[in-house]
Amino acid sequence: GAGVSQSPSNKVTEKGKDVELRCDPISGHTALYWYRQSLGQGLEFLIYFQGNSAPDKSGLPSDRFSAERTGGSVSTLTIQRTQQEDSAVYLCASSSLTGTRNHGYTFGSGTRLTVV
Amino acid sequence: GNSVTQMEGPVTLSEEAFLTINCTYTATGYPSLFWYVQYPGEGLQLLLKATKADDKGSNKGFEATYRKETTSFHLEKGSVQVSDSAVYFCALSDRDGGYQKVTFGTGTKLQVIP
């Protein structure tokens, strides 16, 4: 697509439920990244995909968080047994293999997750 | 690893005031440098970039110069507008942890009042 698309844009869930957040990167971008941004805070790196593999998942905060990417395209971030501290904006970004240095990342608009 | 340090916010300015947001970095290689802007309720957008020393990036009246000797990339604008109210992130791109990645500062919130 023309840009990075994330869905849903807003999600309200009850504590303890599982949620899935989706990211559609720019077509042809092999690198995909997930970040978390809590209210008024900076960016917290979660995971990096190159193709379908995740060489860096050092930022996943607990084993309740997992992510996968299929077909070198769409990625899903899953949070199991959600807690109130998981409330945040989840941002996805993508880049081409050779474009990161010159163009940085292209971000989606994010999914605002609220756990009640 | 690499790191980016930017001035704490929030920064509050009157319309038409001069803006400077300081940014310094630490990198092991020869990074590219970026400023991203995040308007309320939106994702981050690339504002400007510089890929080598002494380059000046500019966009929408904002500019920043890549200063290798001081490892800095300060953002400036001569006359801010209310519409510039946003969070600004300084960032660098370099090989870190085995791959080319972008490292972000913590962000500086700018509020411009009429």
Side-chain angles (χ1 to χ4, degrees):
Chain A
V4 178
S5 177
Q6 291 188 246
S7 60
S9 54
N10 278 286
K11 176 73 176 178
V12 179
T13 190
E14 292 181 354
K15 178 182 172 181
K17 295 283 177 86
D18 298 352
V19 294
E20 284 189 353
L21 311 180
R22 176 187 167 106
C23 173
D24 249 302
I26 290 174
S27 178
H29 278 190
T30 57
L32 186 147
Y33 315 82
W34 284 98
Y35 285 80
R36 180 167 71 173
Q37 188 175 28
S38 301
L39 185 62
Q41 301 299 309
L43 298 171
E44 178 185 3
F45 168 79
L46 298 178
I47 188 168
Y48 155 63
F49 284 95
Q50 182 57 248
N52 291 336
S53 63
D56 186 356
K57 41 189 169 184
S58 61
L60 293 177
S62 75
D63 58 9
R64 295 187 296 105
F65 287 72
S66 63
E68 65 174 14
R69 189 178 184 196
T70 55
S73 182
V74 172
S75 175
T76 303
L77 177 68
T78 301
I79 309 173
Q80 296 179 308
R81 305 181 303 281
T82 52
Q83 303 295 312
Q84 287 185 327
E85 61 264 28
D86 299 334
S87 296
V89 176
Y90 290 82
L91 292 167
C92 176
S94 70
S95 68
S96 64
L97 186 60
T98 56
T100 302
R101 176 172 175 79
N102 289 333
H103 305 294
Y105 301 161
T106 302
F107 282 85
S109 298
T111 294
R112 180 175 299 278
L113 175 66
T114 305
V115 181
V116 297
Chain B
N2 299 330
S3 67
V4 176
T5 303
Q6 58 183 109
M7 63 188 290
E8 294 280 333
V11 174
T12 302
L13 295 173
S14 296
E15 205 165 21
E16 299 183 1
F18 185 87
L19 169 71
T20 300
I21 300 178
N22 290 338
C23 171
T24 58
Y25 66 90
T26 301
T28 53
Y30 299 92
S32 296
L33 302 175
F34 306 95
W35 277 99
Y36 283 82
V37 59
Q38 185 180 32
Y39 298 104
E42 299 183 13
L44 277 72
Q45 304 173 27
L46 182 63
L47 177 61
L48 55 83
K49 65 179 181 182
T51 57
K52 61 184 188 300
D54 299 325
D55 271 2
K56 178 185 284 188
S58 61
N59 186 24
K60 299 182 180 179
F62 291 89
E63 58 182 35
T65 301
Y66 189 139
R67 301 286 188 202
K68 193 170 187 296
E69 63 276 14
T70 54
T71 61
S72 64
F73 193 54
H74 306 319
L75 183 68
E76 296 183 335
K77 187 174 185 182
S79 176
V80 293
Q81 306 300 312
V82 172
S83 56
D84 294 327
S85 298
V87 180
Y88 293 82
F89 291 88
C90 185
L92 68 84
S93 177
D94 196 11
R95 286 198 72 81
D96 189 3
Y99 64 98
Q100 191 79 21
K101 71 189 291 186
V102 177
T103 301
F104 292 89
T106 54
T108 302
K109 184 174 182 178
L110 170 66
Q111 183 177 14
V112 180
I113 54 178

